[in-house]
Amino acid sequence: MSGVANTSVEEIADCMRARKRANQACSLLIGAGCSVSAGIPLANGFVSRIQKEHGAAYRRAKTKHYPDVMAELGDGYRRDLVAEAIDKAHINWAHIAIAQLMKHGYVSRVLTTNFDPLVVRACAMVGEFPAVYDFAASQNFHPEYLPEKAVFYLHGQRDGFILLHTEEDVRRHSANLAPLFREAGQGRMWLVAGYSGENDPVFTHLEAVEHFRYNLTWARYEDEDPPPHLTQKLLKPGKGTLYLRGYDADRLFVELAQRLDCFPPDFISAPFQHLRNTLDRVGPFQLPHKAGPLDIVQEARKRIDHAETVVRSAADATRDRVLQAILRADYADAVRDVTDGAIAEDAELRGLMATAHFMLGVNAQQRGESATGKEFERAISTAIEQYQRCLALKPDKHEAWNNWGNALADQAKTTGGDDARTLFDVAGQKYAEAIAIKPDDHEAWYNWGIALFHQAKATGGDDARTLFDMAGQKYAKAIAIKPDFHEAWYNWGNALFHQARATGGDDARTLFDVAGQKYAKAIAIKPDKHEAWYNWGNALADQAKATGGDDARTLFDVAGQKFAEAIAIKPDFHEAWYNWGVALSDQAKATGGDDARTLFDVAGQKYAEAIAIKPDKHEAWNNWGNALAEQAKATGGDDARTLFDVAGQKYAEAIAIKPDKHEAWNNWGNALFHQAKATGGDDARTLFGLAAQKYAEAIAIKPNCHEAWNNWGFAFLYLANITSGTEAAQNLAETDARYRRALSLTPNAPNTLYNLACLHSLRRNESACRMWLTRCLAIPHPNAKRLLSSDSDFDSLRDTPWFQGLLAAL
């Protein structure tokens, strides 16, 4: 996006090193996104819980957003709700990595909007004990007393006396935070992660900074452009702000810690030394005993030393080095200088080496290699070889069978063709081997389902339907073992959704319905899974199109509700806004009348929202143009002309972003064509001419675009109807040439056959008209009876016996 400076984890790490050398470590601002992988719900998850357990309070809330819903609960209920979620949580790797960064001097201030104690607990785990301040309970702030490292709870903490939930509480409290933000920003770089900044007064303290001398980096887990509130208020040129996309909190902080050589923590990489360091903080104690005093701390040290000796005597130095390199994500170092001879009889090391090579392949893909990139192919092939050798030494290692399947499936996804089908089949055999050893390996069942799903999408036809069904069976097995496996429920829904699309007919409607049931299961387990809400909306919209009638209208409405739920969780979800617009457009087409005009208008509003988030989304511009053109056709009068003009502007925007978008050129031609029909007079001739130019542009991009050739012919046919003499004859000749080109591309296109019949009727060529019309009705044409009964193009032949016979036979 223009004006937004993007950055990388590598650059953030470089800046952290530089500030550490200057004795000014980083300030972090973290939010709920840093705790979600620990099992603590996001705001919408708490809202869903309140809706379920405190329905009256939920209904009273003026909006269904977290602050307003929380405001309707008693303080005690709020505390219980938060406490229960936090007490079930585990320490996740984002907080462990933050603790490591703090321990090694890269972070000195952590400001959190969360209530949970995860960052403090993680610090204690690694032997770091920063000062902790609860700003909700006390606003006394004396920066001169602050130690080098500190954690600040901005809205209170789980066991504090005050927890700030409501909009009014947070707004009133915000002024107290200004001195803290000034101190945290003095000479320090800022890193913001897991925090949305939407409708939160805390955000205003960052917005108020004129320029960040050492930069502020805003990290978001979506691999998308930043939302409007960031681009308009913070990520502006000259403000010293940077943007990192596509990183969740765990991945971001672990990668930072890896790059800064402070990962993994000692309790993983050196557990015995970690225990010794823990004992170093405990004073000696002589336990009185008849046989003499006993130093219990020293005795514990002896036991640690003995255990380490036993383990190290059985350990392999190479294995330990490889493991530590993998934990640092230095996969190249993991495989460096490891020869086949050194690992010939070590199944565990073979497994580690296979993992390292597999990740080298994954990293090659992420660097943007082509699907057939040599580095990717070499890494995956080596990984597969190592899994094979590992299993030759230890045939019952189910993890290796599972990972071998994953490697083959990844290889298949980048291969294509018959080779891909073979690789997917062999991947399935590996998952089956893993399951034969460990029947309750839900991950293997799930991964097998994922592989079958991708195989189905790559296959098509009847085989795809079978494969989608088989994928569902594997997801069902995974869920039978682990009923709360929301990813399996979600992907089962996806398999049914795609199976429905590939099936059609009554069976498709049933499959769409069952897909919705699976999405509902996923959401019941993880209410903030916006992807499930979104795909449920897509499934309902497709089901509506396949259903028709009053049921379709209901399904379209419910689809809209699902899109709205997805957007409530992720307001910058441009795909949900866009598909909601598509669903409304389809609903409008199926509805007709005044309701259709309203629906097209609302669809345009959704497209506008998508474009506000992602201005270069050419699909939204194009479909917005389509909605306006349809709205114009349904409106008539002067308003229609205005709507057609605005539709043209939208098509122009789509083409400015993607000049080779032949669909937009063709659709623009259609809009001008219908505008000409509605206008009449000399203006109509001009508009038909402009429509022809747009069709010509579409064909210049895609010469085999049957629709544009057909539409171009239609435009000339209408020009023939409003001209006379030589000019009309020339227009009819141009019509004939374009229809015949369209027919050469799609020989059985009923519309083109029908139009050729119309053309030859106007030319008074009765035999040719009869031939084309007979061919058209043999297809048949979906609207033949209505058209033949009223189309003035056939007036000269309407009373002939053969024409009357064709009409009677319909």
Side-chain angles (χ1 to χ4, degrees):
M1 178 178 285
S2 176
V4 176
N6 292 292
T7 188
S8 64
V9 174
E10 183 179 10
E11 182 180 8
I12 298 170
D14 289 342
C15 293
M16 283 182 142
R17 285 193 196 92
R19 297 313 298 146
K20 180 183 177 181
R21 289 194 296 269
N23 295 317
Q24 285 284 16
C26 178
S27 287
L28 297 184
L29 172 61
I30 61 175
C34 284
S35 298
V36 69
S37 67
I40 298 176
L42 297 173
N44 60 295
F46 282 109
V47 169
S48 296
R49 180 80 180 275
I50 294 168
Q51 181 181 12
K52 181 178 179 181
E53 298 179 5
H54 301 276
Y58 177 84
R59 289 189 292 274
R60 282 198 305 272
K62 62 182 180 181
T63 74
K64 305 312 175 188
H65 297 144
Y66 178 88
D68 290 335
V69 175
M70 275 291 195
E72 296 301 326
L73 277 186
D75 184 61
Y77 292 115
R78 295 181 206 162
R79 284 181 166 275
D80 291 346
L81 194 67
V82 170
E84 182 181 353
I86 290 174
D87 292 346
K88 290 179 179 178
H90 51 264
I91 300 173
N92 61 342
W93 285 95
H95 289 98
I96 291 170
I98 289 171
Q100 283 291 101
L101 292 168
M102 185 171 274
K103 180 178 181 178
H104 288 263
Y106 292 105
V107 170
S108 61
R109 299 282 183 266
V110 177
L111 285 66
T112 176
T113 59
N114 301 331
F115 303 129
D116 63 69
L118 297 180
V119 66
V120 177
R121 290 179 184 174
C123 283
M125 281 187 70
V126 305
E128 186 67 23
F129 301 95
V132 180
Y133 300 94
D134 185 345
F135 254 66
S138 173
Q139 287 81 50
N140 292 323
F141 183 67
H142 300 282
E144 65 275 18
Y145 297 155
L146 286 178
E148 179 185 357
K149 300 171 185 177
V151 175
F152 299 90
Y153 282 87
L154 304 183
H155 295 159
Q157 53 184 328
R158 183 250 187 263
D159 296 313
F161 294 120
I162 299 174
L163 300 179
L164 303 179
H165 296 282
T166 69
E167 185 176 346
E168 176 58 26
D169 287 343
V170 173
R171 185 195 59 76
R172 188 170 56 248
H173 174 65
S174 178
N176 301 319
L177 302 177
L180 169 60
F181 274 83
R182 283 197 297 272
E183 193 281 336
Q186 289 178 358
R188 297 184 182 88
M189 62 180 286
W190 278 97
L191 176 58
V192 183
Y195 173 69
S196 71
E198 291 183 290
N199 304 314
D200 182 5
V202 167
F203 180 80
T204 61
H205 296 292
L206 300 177
E207 181 189 354
V209 176
E210 184 176 347
H211 177 73
F212 293 93
R213 293 181 59 200
Y214 295 100
N215 296 123
L216 175 144
T217 296
W218 194 288
R220 297 180 80 237
Y221 79 91
E222 297 94 343
D223 189 13
E224 298 172 355
D225 290 332
H229 75 282
L230 288 181
T231 55
Q232 295 167 10
K233 298 178 179 180
L234 192 66
L235 303 179
K236 300 190 292 188
K239 200 173 175 73
T241 52
L242 302 169
Y243 181 61
L244 179 71
R245 69 183 73 214
Y247 275 81
D248 63 31
D250 286 342
R251 181 185 171 202
L252 167 62
F253 288 113
V254 167
E255 284 197 24
L256 274 175
Q258 287 172 329
R259 288 182 179 276
L260 295 168
D261 299 321
C262 52
F263 192 89
D266 288 345
F267 66 79
I268 295 293
S269 61
F272 296 109
Q273 187 57 45
H274 175 72
L275 287 172
R276 292 190 189 96
N277 294 340
T278 301
L279 288 177
D280 285 344
R281 291 188 287 271
V282 180
F285 180 69
Q286 301 291 330
L287 183 69
H289 197 274
K290 290 182 180 180
L294 183 67
D295 187 336
I296 60 175
V297 176
Q298 187 59 32
E299 289 301 316
R301 289 182 182 278
K302 290 178 182 178
R303 295 176 68 185
I304 293 168
D305 291 344
H306 176 70
E308 185 176 26
T309 301
V310 171
V311 171
R312 287 205 177 277
S313 66
D316 180 89
T318 303
R319 188 190 309 163
D320 188 60
R321 183 188 71 76
V322 171
L323 175 60
Q324 296 305 318
I326 289 174
L327 290 171
R328 296 193 307 271
D330 190 348
Y331 305 112
D333 185 56
V335 303
R336 189 175 294 120
D337 301 328
V338 179
T339 64
D340 270 349
I343 61 174
E345 301 300 325
D346 194 327
E348 292 298 324
L349 186 50
R350 289 281 186 193
L352 290 173
M353 292 294 290
T355 297
H357 282 290
F358 190 5
M359 290 308 300
L360 283 171
V362 171
N363 288 348
Q365 277 186 309
Q366 291 175 345
R367 287 195 300 272
E369 280 208 345
S370 67
T372 57
K374 291 182 180 178
E375 187 177 351
F376 169 78
E377 287 294 334
R378 184 168 58 249
I380 295 298
S381 295
T382 306
I384 289 171
E385 179 185 350
Q386 293 294 350
Y387 285 129
Q388 189 173 9
R389 294 189 177 188
C390 167
L391 288 160
L393 296 166
K394 190 174 174 55
D396 63 346
K397 191 171 178 62
H398 64 90
E399 303 95 337
W401 287 110
N402 178 53
N403 290 339
W404 189 356
N406 291 342
L408 287 161
D410 269 18
Q411 197 174 21
K413 284 186 280 186
T414 61
T415 299
D418 292 337
D419 289 341
R421 286 192 285 274
T422 301
L423 287 166
F424 276 125
D425 286 338
V426 180
Q429 296 168 17
K430 307 311 171 192
Y431 295 129
E433 292 281 0
I435 290 161
I437 297 163
K438 192 175 190 305
D440 63 347
D441 187 353
H442 65 275
E443 290 288 349
W445 285 111
Y446 172 71
N447 289 338
W448 196 353
I450 293 289
L452 286 162
F453 174 76
H454 285 291
Q455 186 177 4
K457 290 205 296 182
T459 299
D462 291 338
D463 289 343
R465 292 193 285 273
T466 302
L467 290 164
F468 282 129
D469 188 56
M470 291 171 63
Q473 295 169 21
K474 308 310 176 192
Y475 295 134
K477 289 284 190 180
I479 289 163
I481 299 163
K482 186 176 170 55
D484 64 346
F485 196 178
H486 65 85
E487 287 293 346
W489 285 111
Y490 167 67
N491 280 307
W492 192 358
N494 288 343
L496 288 159
F497 180 17
H498 284 271
Q499 189 178 1
R501 282 183 163 178
T503 300
D506 292 338
D507 289 342
R509 290 193 285 274
T510 301
L511 289 165
F512 282 128
D513 190 54
V514 181
Q517 296 170 21
K518 307 310 176 191
Y519 292 133
K521 287 283 191 180
I523 290 163
I525 298 164
K526 188 172 173 56
D528 60 348
K529 189 163 183 62
H530 62 272
E531 303 96 335
W533 287 109
Y534 167 67
N535 277 347
W536 194 357
N538 290 334
L540 285 161
D542 275 16
Q543 188 177 4
K545 287 189 287 183
T547 301
D550 292 337
D551 288 342
R553 286 192 283 274
T554 302
L555 288 165
F556 276 125
D557 287 338
V558 180
Q561 295 168 18
K562 307 310 176 190
F563 291 129
E565 291 281 0
I567 290 162
I569 297 164
K570 191 177 184 302
D572 62 342
F573 194 2
H574 64 84
E575 288 292 349
W577 285 111
Y578 169 71
N579 279 12
W580 194 356
V582 171
L584 285 161
S585 292
D586 287 332
Q587 186 176 7
K589 292 173 192 174
T591 301
D594 292 338
D595 288 342
R597 290 193 287 274
T598 302
L599 288 165
F600 280 125
D601 187 56
V602 180
Q605 295 169 22
K606 307 309 177 190
Y607 294 133
E609 291 281 0
I611 289 163
I613 298 162
K614 188 172 174 59
D616 63 346
K617 191 167 181 64
H618 56 84
E619 303 93 337
W621 286 110
N622 177 58
N623 277 1
W624 194 357
N626 291 343
L628 286 160
E630 293 291 340
Q631 192 177 0
K633 286 192 285 182
T635 299
D638 291 339
D639 289 341
R641 285 191 285 275
T642 302
L643 288 166
F644 277 126
D645 285 339
V646 180
Q649 295 168 18
K650 307 309 177 191
Y651 295 129
E653 291 281 359
I655 290 162
I657 298 162
K658 187 172 171 55
D660 64 345
K661 191 172 179 66
H662 68 274
E663 302 95 337
W665 286 109
N666 182 55
N667 290 338
W668 195 353
N670 289 342
L672 288 161
F673 172 79
H674 286 288
Q675 187 175 6
K677 283 173 62 180
T679 300
D682 291 337
D683 288 342
R685 295 178 66 175
T686 302
L687 290 166
F688 280 128
L690 290 172
Q693 293 173 18
K694 308 308 178 191
Y695 296 134
E697 291 282 359
I699 288 164
I701 297 163
K702 189 180 181 187
N704 63 345
C705 183
H706 158 267
E707 295 86 354
W709 283 108
N710 183 70
N711 292 337
W712 196 359
F714 211 18
F716 273 114
L717 183 62
Y718 264 84
L719 273 173
N721 282 331
I722 61 173
T723 54
S724 58
T726 304
E727 186 179 0
Q730 180 60 38
N731 286 329
L732 289 174
E734 297 285 359
T735 302
D736 187 54
R738 281 150 185 81
Y739 282 156
R740 288 181 182 275
R741 182 60 188 274
L743 203 63
S744 72
L745 297 168
T746 311
N748 291 319
N751 282 338
T752 306
L753 292 167
Y754 178 86
N755 290 340
L756 277 164
C758 291
L759 169 66
H760 286 282
S761 176
L762 292 171
R763 284 178 149 182
R764 300 294 194 272
N765 189 337
E766 184 174 346
S767 61
C769 173
R770 184 174 182 176
M771 178 193 70
W772 291 119
L773 202 53
T774 301
R775 281 186 59 182
C776 171
L777 297 179
I779 300 297
H781 192 292
N783 300 311
K785 186 168 185 177
R786 177 179 60 82
L787 291 171
L788 287 176
S789 299
S790 59
D791 196 332
S792 61
D793 289 347
F794 297 110
D795 284 352
S796 64
L797 304 172
R798 190 169 300 282
D799 295 330
T800 62
W802 67 264
F803 189 91
Q804 287 296 314
L806 286 177
L807 191 59
L810 294 175

